[in-house]
Amino acid sequence: MTMKRLILVFLLFSGLIATRVEAQYDFKFGFEASPFISWMSTDKKPVKSDGTNLGFQIVMNGEYYIRERYAIKAGLGLSFRNGGNLLHTNGGAIFPDSDLSMPSLKDPLPPNTSVKYKLQYVEIPVAFRMRTQEFGYLRYFAELPMFIIGINSQARADLGVANGDNEDIGKDTPFMNLSWGVGAGAEYALTSTTSLVGGIFYNQGIADVTSDSNADQSKAVLKRLVFRMGVMF
């Protein structure tokens, strides 16, 4: 999916949110622009977590309040540079199906090769949101459970060998990622209808974000610590 198409989908969703806001008083919408730290863990000892990525996400959210302090939350977002490093202690043919830039890169990688994964997703988060009463200009909130559907729009990797940076590994990366999460934070009222939002959230993958055809047959899940920053209207 090209960036132009991603932006078009994002803008169409924005229009639907705005239309809904005009029609429903207990519906709020907003934007988030949040940095995060991501890493990967596996279920096989020969493949080990070996580093983190610093990523960034932008999300448009809608909150439908079923009670004054309880809401169903859903959104649409773009998430960049998910992943981290995995150390492949046995080496091997890690990306046999991908269109790598040089044929030699499909040869088995040497033992103890650290591969940096850089994954991009179109994300659909859904959560149950609870918030406190207002204390001056502040409210505190928690979101749990949270579930995120991620559609892989780009997958690249630095293979840890000469001429192996920023390789396209899309054919060895699943199309979809599923994850769950929890988080909490605070919102500060600027006006009666506009608030600044900040919080810390943890996401953990449910599905494998690497292909099962890799050399070690390992399952790797994506984990993130998100520092949420946004505004709600």
Side-chain angles (χ1 to χ4, degrees):
M1 185 179 293
T2 66
M3 182 59 66
K4 288 183 179 179
R5 290 180 179 177
L6 293 178
I7 293 173
L8 179 59
V9 171
F10 198 75
L11 291 175
L12 288 174
F13 187 79
S14 174
L16 291 174
I17 291 289
T19 301
R20 178 65 177 165
V21 168
E22 291 178 359
Q24 184 68 49
Y25 73 93
D26 53 0
F27 187 92
K28 300 186 71 174
F29 78 102
F31 302 91
E32 295 171 7
S34 306
F36 62 79
I37 299 170
S38 68
W39 64 99
M40 301 164 74
S41 63
T42 75
D43 61 346
K44 297 290 179 68
K45 289 183 178 179
V47 185
K48 304 175 182 178
S49 181
D50 193 43
T52 61
N53 280 8
L54 179 61
F56 188 77
Q57 66 181 23
I58 54 174
V59 184
M60 171 174 287
N61 286 309
E63 299 175 357
Y64 180 76
Y65 280 85
I66 53 180
R67 295 287 188 273
E68 180 185 358
R69 294 188 287 140
Y70 303 99
I72 303 297
K73 183 173 183 177
L76 179 68
L78 303 175
S79 180
F80 305 94
R81 287 187 61 84
N82 296 273
N85 287 50
L86 290 181
L87 179 65
H88 295 266
T89 57
N90 294 336
I94 310 299
F95 305 112
D97 300 322
S98 293
D99 298 323
L100 304 181
S101 62
M102 298 174 61
S104 61
L105 295 175
K106 288 197 174 185
D107 295 339
L109 295 174
N112 295 315
T113 296
S114 183
V115 176
K116 176 177 280 293
Y117 292 79
K118 298 177 287 187
L119 309 175
Q120 179 176 300
Y121 292 99
V122 178
E123 295 187 333
I124 304 171
V126 179
F128 181 69
R129 191 173 199 267
M130 300 168 283
R131 65 178 184 175
T132 66
Q133 294 180 343
E134 204 165 21
F135 301 99
Y137 295 101
L138 278 175
R139 288 181 187 265
Y140 300 96
F141 67 86
E143 291 180 15
L144 70 147
M146 172 191 295
F147 297 99
I148 303 170
I149 299 172
I151 301 170
N152 194 325
S153 58
Q154 185 180 92
R156 296 192 176 275
D158 297 338
L159 304 189
V161 296
N163 302 313
D165 289 347
N166 210 37
E167 292 291 327
D168 185 349
I169 58 167
K171 292 185 178 179
D172 287 292
T173 308
F175 173 69
M176 184 175 292
N177 181 40
L178 301 174
S179 61
W180 64 270
V182 296
E187 53 182 77
Y188 181 83
L190 297 177
T191 69
S192 60
T193 57
T194 304
S195 300
L196 295 178
V197 178
I200 299 178
F201 286 74
Y202 173 75
N203 307 143
Q204 178 168 315
I206 299 170
D208 191 356
V209 294
T210 60
S211 172
D212 288 334
S213 65
N214 67 45
D216 293 289
Q217 296 291 305
S218 63
K219 175 183 177 180
V221 296
L222 180 65
K223 300 179 180 181
R224 296 189 307 200
L225 188 63
V226 181
F227 303 93
R228 184 179 292 182
M229 297 180 291
V231 59
M232 297 299 296
F233 303 97

